[in-house]
Amino acid sequence: MQSNESGWIVQAQEGDANAFTSLVEAYQKPVYNLCYRMLGNAEDAEDAAQETFLRAYQSLKRFDPNRSFSTWLLSIAAHYCIDRIRRQRYRIISFEELPYLDVADDSPGVETRLSHKQEQEQIQTLLNNLNPVDRAAMVLYYWYDLSYEEICQELGLSISQLKSRMHRARLAMAQKWNEKKTSNLMPERITT
Amino acid sequence: MTHQPYLDWMITATDELSDPLTPEQRIALNEHITQCDSCRQVGEAWQAVELKMQSAPMLSPSAGFGKRWQARLETSQKLRQEKQNYRLLGILILGAFLMLAALTTQAMPLIKSPFLLLWTWIYQLVQTFYYLEFFRVLFISIFQTAIEVIPLAWLILFAGFLCQLSVVWFIALRLTTSPWRVKL
């Protein structure tokens, strides 16, 4: 994969669009997932992922081969999504508005699938409440196993800034989760 | 009661950058969360959220993403080309306007006296015709002399050579400007 990737990159840098399509096929999933986690719906995620690859293709000549291609690609996607969220600020998405998620779920049971979907929606709602940069940091940390140094490099933050952002995001998510749990429990308490 | 260090400790328990808690800190934290409901709830909530995020799968786009991307690339390249063309056209129009403005500025003193301007135009026109006539006479005299001096066969050969050069020039132009050779 690694040697194939280097070959595709070199060919794509020479203007071979087919070689870049191979890179698109190889990285569509991580890029799409990042866009989905950032934007919260399938339509926007598809559009953002396509735009990410287009931007990467256009600036491929400036790509430094000493860097990791996947991290570079994720950085483009994260920045694009951050800008996009800033442009469409304050759009609040409720649980009901969230579309169906294309979760690759191997479990056969309908109940398991449903609960899986609900969990995903809950996580997505918690992420949607975060500031875009905090959201990008959380997604890169939890879904891509990037180190703090890598996240700092990709998002242009210092370690202390990242630490404080992550702390703020974790606290906000935990508090939101608590609020949701409490509001879900309320009707039961009243009826019992 | 202060909650700050305990909240921080609970939230960053699995963080790679945070230092692990000392036994004293762990005892203090346990004591605190037995007394403080809000901190315990936040800690438990974060554990639940983190677990869900760690188990959340990677989402995939719908099938045919690569083909859709190729189509988008083509559209984008066409748009880019159109933009470049419009930009070039804009630059040319701007250049033409600038030249016109420069000429107008130069001609301003003449415009103030229209008679002089008209006279200059007529003079330039006559001069142009004079030069054209001069070159016509020169060419005809050279041609007539050449016919007298050079044999007819040589002249035909020379004309044929010129024709061949024109054909080669035309083919070369077509080949170098054909779209499959010029990558935009």
Side-chain angles (χ1 to χ4, degrees):
Chain A
M1 170 70 185
Q2 193 62 39
S3 60
N4 276 352
E5 183 189 292
S6 321
W8 288 332
I9 293 169
V10 172
Q11 286 169 359
Q13 280 177 326
E14 287 164 1
D16 184 350
N18 288 331
F20 195 81
T21 306
S22 305
L23 289 167
V24 172
E25 298 284 356
Y27 287 103
Q28 55 177 300
K29 196 170 172 178
V31 170
Y32 176 82
N33 181 66
L34 174 64
C35 295
Y36 194 105
R37 300 297 175 190
M38 288 295 290
L39 301 170
N41 71 79
E43 197 183 326
D44 285 352
E46 162 92 15
D47 187 55
Q50 297 262 349
E51 186 60 32
T52 299
F53 283 114
L54 204 59
R55 287 180 179 205
Y57 182 70
Q58 282 161 359
S59 48
L60 195 62
K61 289 211 165 80
R62 293 197 298 271
F63 169 67
D64 175 9
N66 297 321
R67 276 182 78 181
S68 150
F69 182 73
S70 61
T71 317
W72 180 70
L73 207 55
L74 291 174
S75 161
I76 295 174
H79 283 289
Y80 176 72
C81 291
I82 290 169
D83 289 345
R84 197 170 165 138
I85 295 165
R86 282 178 179 157
R87 282 201 301 270
Q88 53 175 30
R89 245 173 208 196
Y90 307 124
R91 188 179 155 217
I92 297 158
I93 299 170
S94 69
F95 275 33
E96 291 73 29
E97 278 179 296
L98 282 165
Y100 176 73
L101 291 166
D102 303 328
V103 181
D105 190 356
D106 299 329
S107 57
V110 177
E111 277 182 20
T112 319
R113 258 209 313 261
L114 265 174
S115 82
H116 218 109
K117 190 187 162 202
Q118 276 176 345
E119 280 185 3
Q120 288 308 307
E121 286 174 353
Q122 287 166 350
I123 289 293
Q124 199 55 53
T125 311
L126 293 176
L127 283 172
N128 289 348
N129 283 308
L130 299 177
N131 154 306
V133 181
D134 297 0
R135 201 183 306 177
M138 291 296 278
V139 173
L140 289 173
Y141 186 78
Y142 282 100
W143 272 274
Y144 298 89
D145 292 331
L146 294 191
S147 67
Y148 269 12
E149 283 77 16
E150 285 172 314
I151 298 173
C152 285
Q153 197 189 345
E154 300 316 325
L155 297 179
L157 301 169
S158 67
I159 287 279
S160 59
Q161 282 173 327
L162 181 67
K163 270 180 87 172
S164 97
R165 278 180 179 278
M166 295 278 280
H167 185 270
R168 188 174 64 191
R170 283 168 174 151
L171 203 58
M173 287 177 91
Q175 282 166 346
K176 196 83 190 161
W177 181 266
N178 244 346
E179 280 171 29
K180 265 293 182 228
K181 214 170 107 182
T182 319
S183 63
N184 285 347
L185 286 173
M186 273 303 195
E188 284 175 26
R189 280 183 187 166
I190 292 162
T191 49
T192 50
Chain B
M1 187 191 288
T2 176
H3 306 274
Q4 200 50 51
Y6 308 111
L7 268 179
D8 290 349
W9 291 343
M10 283 188 296
I11 291 288
T12 56
T14 54
D15 203 324
E16 64 172 65
L17 282 187
S18 61
D19 300 323
L21 297 182
T22 61
E24 292 79 26
Q25 284 174 329
R26 200 168 287 281
I27 291 165
L29 176 64
N30 284 337
E31 273 178 17
H32 180 78
I33 54 175
T34 49
Q35 293 160 11
C36 179
D37 276 353
S38 71
C39 282
R40 197 185 60 246
Q41 280 172 0
V42 170
E44 284 171 358
W46 172 244
Q47 277 181 355
V49 171
E50 192 171 41
L51 201 68
K52 280 186 194 297
M53 283 206 293
Q54 282 164 345
S55 63
M58 279 264 184
L59 305 175
S60 303
S62 52
F65 183 88
K67 282 188 179 164
R68 291 195 296 281
W69 181 77
Q70 277 183 322
R72 186 159 173 159
L73 177 68
E74 276 174 29
T75 315
S76 150
Q77 281 178 331
K78 270 182 197 167
L79 279 174
R80 218 172 164 195
Q81 186 59 43
E82 273 176 20
K83 264 187 195 170
Q84 276 181 352
N85 291 345
Y86 282 125
R87 203 173 295 146
L88 184 66
L89 188 69
I91 290 168
L92 288 175
I93 291 171
L94 185 71
F97 270 110
L98 285 175
M99 279 177 72
L100 190 68
L103 281 172
T104 312
T105 319
Q106 289 293 314
M108 258 317 183
L110 296 173
I111 291 167
K112 281 174 188 166
S113 55
F115 181 74
L116 189 62
L117 181 67
L118 187 69
W119 180 242
T120 314
W121 270 98
I122 292 167
Y123 178 74
Q124 292 291 340
L125 205 65
V126 171
Q127 283 279 76
T128 311
F129 278 116
Y130 172 77
Y131 284 122
L132 280 175
E133 179 60 18
F134 171 75
F135 282 114
R136 192 185 65 83
V137 171
L138 186 71
F139 179 74
I140 286 170
S141 59
I142 289 171
F143 188 69
Q144 281 174 343
T145 316
I147 286 172
E148 284 168 15
V149 175
I150 303 167
L152 186 65
W154 280 102
L155 278 175
I156 292 167
L157 266 176
F158 183 65
F161 177 67
L162 281 182
C163 283
Q164 275 184 349
L165 269 185
S166 307
V167 170
V168 168
W169 173 79
F170 181 73
I171 291 169
L173 189 73
R174 284 299 298 268
L175 285 174
T176 50
T177 56
S178 64
W180 57 270
R181 275 192 184 270
V182 180
K183 279 188 180 170
L184 296 167

